[in-house]
Amino acid sequence: MRVAAGIILLALGATGAVGSLLFLWSLLRSPIVIHSWAALAIVVLLIGAGTAGGGISAIRRKVYWWPLMAAIFLVIVAITSTVLIMRAPTIPGEDPASLAQRLLWSAPAWGICGLPSFLALIFLVKRKGEFQA
């Protein structure tokens, strides 16, 4: 289970890091650079690198807190995406998004980030004794 948690964390971290690097590369090639999107891509790059490091640490059985904190942080990211999803109306003059619409919009964050990291968190908690002190 520890190796499965490590593979999950490594895959999530590598996907986030590579995706943000590709996005930053496309921003540099475009004539208009949007700074807020670049800042978000850098944050995702750092989160992805930390999560990939946690996955490597889980596979190598070195430090327990690194993969544990990576899995907890990814669950928090999924919860935050649910709570802080855009509340602006989609059409001018329309009412703000309802709770059902916000949950529907945040479903990809739970499917891609939340559920796998929650599964990795369960695996890590069950196999705490396999890590070196």
Side-chain angles (χ1 to χ4, degrees), residues 1 11 16 24 28 30 36-37 40 42 45 47 54 76 78 82 89 97 109 120 126 129-130:
M1 285 188 185
L24 285 171
L28 290 175
S30 68
S36 61
W37 289 108
L40 181 64
I42 291 172
L45 176 67
I47 291 171
I76 290 172
T82 303
K126 288 182 68 89
E130 292 183 10

Side-chain angles (χ1 to χ4, degrees), residues 78 81 85 102-116:
S81 71
I85 199 78
R102 288 184 11 206
L103 288 175
L104 184 62
W105 292 337
S106 65
W110 276 99
I112 294 169
C113 178
L115 294 178

Side-chain angles (χ1 to χ4, degrees), residues 14-86:
T15 304
V18 168
S20 63
L21 282 174
L22 289 174
F23 183 73
L24 285 171
W25 182 65
S26 69
L27 279 180
L28 290 175
R29 293 179 52 93
S30 68
I32 301 172
V33 177
I34 303 172
H35 298 291
S36 61
W37 289 108
L40 181 64
I42 291 172
V43 168
V44 171
L45 176 67
L46 294 174
I47 291 171
T51 304
I56 292 170
S57 177
I59 291 171
R60 295 182 66 206
R61 290 188 292 181
K62 290 292 181 187
V63 181
Y64 176 69
W65 63 268
W66 188 277
L68 184 70
M69 295 313 299
I72 289 172
F73 191 72
L74 285 178
V75 170
I76 290 172
V77 165
I79 291 171
T80 307
S81 71
T82 303
V83 174
L84 298 178
I85 199 78
M86 286 178 30

